[in-house]
Amino acid sequence: MTFNRRKFIAVGAATAATLSAPRVLADNHGKPRVVVIGGGSGGATAARYIAKDSKGAIDVTLVEPSRTYFTCYFSNLYIAGFTELGDISHTYGTLAAKYGINVVHDWAVDVDRDAKTVSLAGGSVLPYDKLILSPGIDFVEGAVPGWSVAAQNKMPHAYKAGSQSELLKAQIMAMPQGGRFAMVAPPDPFRCPPGPYERISMVAHVLKQTNPTAKILLVDPKEKFSKQGLFEEGWERHYSGMIERVGPDFGATNVTVDPEAMTVDIDGSVENVDVCNVIPAQKAGRIADMAGVTDGNWAPVNAADMSSKADPDVHVLGDAAQQGDMPKSGFAANSQAKVCAMAVRGALTDSKVFPAKFTNTCWSLIAPDDGVKVGATYEATAEKIAKVDGFVSQTGEDAATRKATYEESVGWYAGITADMFN
Ligand SMILES: Cc1cc2nc3c(=O)[nH]c(=O)nc-3n(C[C@H](O)[C@H](O)[C@H](O)COP(=O)(O)OP(=O)(O)OC[C@H]3O[C@@H](n4cnc5c(N)ncnc54)[C@H](O)[C@@H]3O)c2cc1C
């Protein structure tokens, strides 16, 4: 069955590409149709839950260009050598074979909200009753003058995992002894608030092993960052003297880079670096903008069901959504996806819908077995997803607690990826 479905998809895509006029794919046997754009933390979860829980009553199509999804979570650990790239890669076969999801490997290039159709780069047109957008992030053009995606091979972002993570790791391993690694961190709001600082920790860890006289320059436009006290305590304990953070007081809001010269200009002071990890300011993945559901940056949604404030038949999940108090994380996207899946299934099949509840925890690794976390529970109010209760690791915790926290994160990784793909 898997083979036939895959073959059908491959033939369908090839045929579509050869037709001059777009085709509407409407063979849904009268079932309601859900199209999900983006097969990551939000989209894969939503597709899986709708297909699984509706037991075939809803026709689910998942549009995702990549055949392999590399999780950003644990990609910093990959850079430090704690995991292999294969350990953070996942494919879509089970979603097709076990749940009957129509997995289409293509780009969505347009959404017509009046006709309720999605156009794909290959030429096909998919009709929908409900559309779910979970396209993740794109970078704001010109956010770091001198940097563009054309320069991402010289100065990688590694903020979409996969080849960029491999490249950044290779550049770090090739640094000259005593060389300098720089990161240009993004302004709020951005994907994974602790992500840049976990990365600094992991780069410090690998350099401590391979290049102990190397230095790390963190150029950060923000006054404060997630789990700051915990990271700074850990950096002092494990990597003393290695990491220098330049904040807004010292010009970090006025930064340009030169990828050819490998320099970072911080408010007129030009620094030579050997590796430069530029993580630009972010906005919703472009297709959300093309669907006309963003405010120019993010897509405002209703907390109760993640529906767009611009269109009740379009839902936006994960990083692309402007939802309130939740951070932009994989955990959050997965949690929002389950709320959305229940609401969509309820609307299309009259099944019971329970009040929305959301949870999130973000774990970060500072050094081997030194894990920290921050998390919260949330509820839907009329205005937003609102924080109810939170917790955060404490400075000065003992080694056993930190090790247990790290082990928890390993368990979480297995759980969320199974919840998305198995
Ligand atoms: C370094 C790093 C570390 C992180 N660590 C953690 C962590 O420890 N815990 C945690 O919870 N989160 C973590 N995150 C954040 C997490 O990866 C994201 O918040 C999460 O993946 C968001 O899910 P999403 O569905 O919005 O987007 P994604 O998971 O990025 O999925 C978006 C998908 O949409 C597809 N897509 C985009 N445009 C189109 C289109 N036009 N047509 C079809 N498909 C399209 C993309 O190919 C992609 O597969 C980390 C992020 C980074 C960068």
Side-chain angles (χ1 to χ4, degrees):
M1 178 173 171
T2 315
F3 174 74
N4 285 343
R5 176 173 289 278
R6 283 196 174 145
K7 195 167 167 197
F8 168 74
I9 292 165
V11 170
T15 311
T18 58
L19 291 175
S20 52
R23 246 170 0 124
V24 174
L25 303 177
D27 181 19
N28 70 322
H29 310 290
K31 294 178 195 172
R33 286 169 296 220
V34 173
V35 173
V36 182
I37 299 181
S41 311
T45 307
R48 180 174 171 275
Y49 270 80
I50 294 169
K52 177 167 78 72
D53 293 344
S54 75
K55 299 186 172 57
I58 298 175
D59 189 76
V60 181
T61 296
L62 176 63
V63 182
E64 164 60 52
S66 305
R67 282 163 203 279
T68 304
Y69 177 79
F70 293 93
T71 60
C72 287
Y73 14 109
F74 279 51
S75 66
N76 288 330
L77 278 64
Y78 157 74
I79 288 169
F82 290 109
T83 57
E84 299 296 322
L85 205 57
D87 298 333
I88 60 167
S89 75
H90 304 271
T91 54
Y92 296 89
T94 304
L95 294 184
K98 190 164 163 189
Y99 303 107
I101 295 169
N102 179 26
V103 180
V104 179
H105 290 299
D106 203 346
W107 286 96
V109 291
D110 197 17
V111 174
D112 182 335
R113 291 199 280 117
D114 295 325
K116 294 180 103 174
T117 56
V118 174
S119 298
L120 306 186
S124 301
V125 177
L126 304 171
Y128 66 82
D129 297 297
K130 295 280 184 189
L131 174 64
I132 298 175
L133 299 173
S134 197
I137 52 151
D138 270 319
F139 300 117
V140 173
E141 258 175 66
V144 179
W147 191 92
S148 72
V149 284
Q152 70 177 10
N153 266 23
K154 285 266 185 193
M155 293 188 170
H157 53 79
Y159 236 59
K160 298 183 184 187
S163 55
Q164 277 279 300
S165 321
E166 275 189 286
L167 176 64
L168 185 61
K169 181 174 179 168
Q171 290 185 352
I172 292 165
M173 298 315 287
M175 269 171 67
Q177 288 297 310
R180 184 134 87 139
F181 172 96
M183 173 191 283
V184 179
D188 291 318
F190 63 99
R191 158 175 283 188
C192 193
Y197 312 98
E198 180 187 62
R199 178 169 295 164
I200 290 291
S201 309
M202 294 294 91
V203 172
H205 168 74
V206 76
L207 290 176
K208 194 175 162 185
Q209 318 300 310
T210 60
N211 193 343
T213 54
K215 298 284 182 220
I216 295 175
L217 174 65
L218 167 58
V219 187
D220 196 342
K222 301 179 292 299
E223 292 285 354
K224 291 189 291 189
F225 60 88
S226 173
K227 293 184 266 193
Q228 184 162 357
L230 295 165
F231 279 114
E232 288 179 346
E233 178 197 50
W235 293 347
E236 189 51 40
R237 184 185 314 143
H238 301 291
Y239 315 116
S240 184
M242 204 173 196
I243 301 165
E244 180 193 3
R245 176 171 179 264
V246 177
D249 294 356
F250 294 91
T253 50
N254 181 23
V255 173
T256 63
V257 296
D258 184 336
E260 286 310 316
M262 284 304 288
T263 55
V264 182
D265 182 325
I266 308 165
D267 210 19
S269 164
V270 178
E271 307 289 332
N272 291 302
V273 298
D274 298 291
V275 176
C276 190
N277 176 203
V278 177
I279 309 174
Q282 296 157 29
K283 59 182 182 176
R286 186 153 177 262
I287 191 70
D289 214 19
M290 295 166 88
V293 296
T294 73
D295 60 8
N297 288 309
W298 307 104
V301 294
N302 298 300
D305 61 358
M306 302 303 292
S307 62
S308 160
K309 292 206 167 162
D311 186 333
D313 291 326
V314 177
H315 298 250
V316 187
L317 305 176
D319 292 353
Q322 186 185 85
Q323 35 68 21
D325 295 347
M326 295 189 92
K328 297 185 185 298
S329 77
F331 198 133
N334 172 265
S335 180
Q336 293 160 13
K338 291 182 216 175
V339 167
C340 170
M342 182 170 54
V344 164
R345 191 166 59 86
L348 296 178
T349 64
D350 262 342
S351 57
K352 190 158 173 51
V353 177
F354 296 93
K357 294 257 181 283
F358 306 87
T359 53
N360 180 65
T361 303
C362 287
W363 288 269
S364 304
L365 190 62
I366 299 178
D369 287 333
D370 190 355
V372 291
K373 63 181 173 182
V374 59
T377 57
Y378 305 83
E379 65 184 8
T381 68
E383 291 79 42
K384 62 175 184 174
I385 298 182
K387 183 173 168 183
V388 178
D389 249 328
F391 57 87
V392 61
S393 297
Q394 299 300 304
T395 53
E397 281 174 341
D398 60 38
T401 304
R402 292 297 177 85
K403 185 167 192 277
T405 302
Y406 169 61
E407 283 164 1
E408 235 175 70
S409 75
V410 174
W412 167 77
Y413 185 91
I416 188 175
T417 50
D419 209 33
M420 292 160 65
F421 293 109
N422 289 350

